[in-house]
Every structure is written in structure tokens, then in C-alpha cells.
């Protein structure tokens, strides 16, 4: 970005308003592509992660939440984030915040999926219940990966 401080401020402001605005304005294919691309920008990835986290935790009906998570392809996106190997002690300065935010986002996704699973689990004959189980299974793999990294950091 040409003006990273301004872009960071814009992203942080956007994160504060996600709960107030129509989610379609933030999770359009164009915005999602931009936000996910910003994960590669050391100056903007923490703020971009904050916007995505706010989208994931935005209050809405369970069916809408599951549709949102599937549209965002959030589980696949998190699976594509390169985390340092658990044995790697050389996390660079500045990366700690990003990895902490990725761990928090992963937790948020897991909680949202489990909430949907609980809700739709009461009606196991629905197609949404099956989709929730598939997404939750994928999320569990990512949560295990993030947990391994966090356990490594606490030693």
C-alpha cells in the first residue's frame, strides 16, 4: 500500500462498523479477495484479520451465519495461512500479533461453527446440519494446528 498508516486506520474503522452495516457490503467477493490478499502485507494483515474476525462474529441467524462462513470460504482461507512449524523458535518481531489474531480468528470460527452445529444438530435431517458437520470437521483440523502453535509459544 502506498499509505499503509491510512489504510490501517481505514481497516480498523471498518472493523468497528461491521456489526452496524449490511454484511453483504463487507463480504462481497471483491472485498474478501482484498482482505485475504492483505494477509501478505506486514503493515495491514493484523487490521485485515480484525475486519474478517468481526464479520465472523457478527450476530445473525444460524442459517445465515453458516451461509456467510461458507461464502467466505473462511475454513479454506485459514487452512492456507502459513504458520511457523511448532519447532521454529524464530518468529520475527511483529509476527506475534498476526499469529495471535489468526489464533483468535480460528477460535471465533470454531465457536461459530459449533454454535451452528448445536443448533442444527437438533434437526439432523436438514442439509444445513450436514454442511455444519463438514465445516466443523475442517475447522477442527485448523484449530488443532493453531493449538499446536500456541502450545509451543507458551513453553
Amino acid at each position: 500500500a502506498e499509505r499503509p498508516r491510512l489504510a490501517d486506520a481505514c481497516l480498523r474503522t471498518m472493523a468497528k462498523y461491521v456489526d452496524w452495516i449490511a454484511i453483504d457490503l463487507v463480504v462481497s467477493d471483491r472485498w474478501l479477495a482484498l482482505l485475504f490478499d492483505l494477509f501478505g502485507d506486514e503493515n495491514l494483515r493484523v487490521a485485515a484479520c480484525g475486519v474478517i474476525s468481526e464479520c465472523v462474529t457478527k450476530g445473525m441467524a444460524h442459517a445465515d451465519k453458516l451461509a456467510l462462513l461458507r461464502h467466505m470460504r473462511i475454513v479454506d482461507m485459514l487452512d492456507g495461512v502459513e504458520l511457523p512449524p511448532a519447532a521454529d523458535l524464530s518468529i520475527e518481531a511483529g509476527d506475534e500479533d498476526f499469529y495471535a489474531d489468526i489464533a483468535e480468528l480460528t477460535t471465533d470460527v470454531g465457536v461459530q461453527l459449533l454454535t451452528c452445529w448445536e443448533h442444527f444438530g437438533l434437526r439432523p435431517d436438514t442439509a444445513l446440519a450436514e454442511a455444519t458437520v463438514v465445516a466443523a470437521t475442517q475447522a477442527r483440523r485448523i484449530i488443532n494446528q493453531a493449538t499446536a502453535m500456541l502450545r509451543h509459544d507458551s513453553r
Side-chain angles (χ1 to χ4, degrees), residues 68 89 112:
L68 171 71
L89 297 174
Q112 297 300 317

Side-chain angles (χ1 to χ4, degrees), residues 4 20 22 25 42 44 56 60 62 85 88 116 120 124 127 136 140 142:
W20 291 38
L25 297 173
E42 290 182 12
L44 300 175
V56 166
M60 60 183 67
H62 293 96
D88 187 1
C116 289
F120 294 119
R140 182 178 48 199
I142 295 163

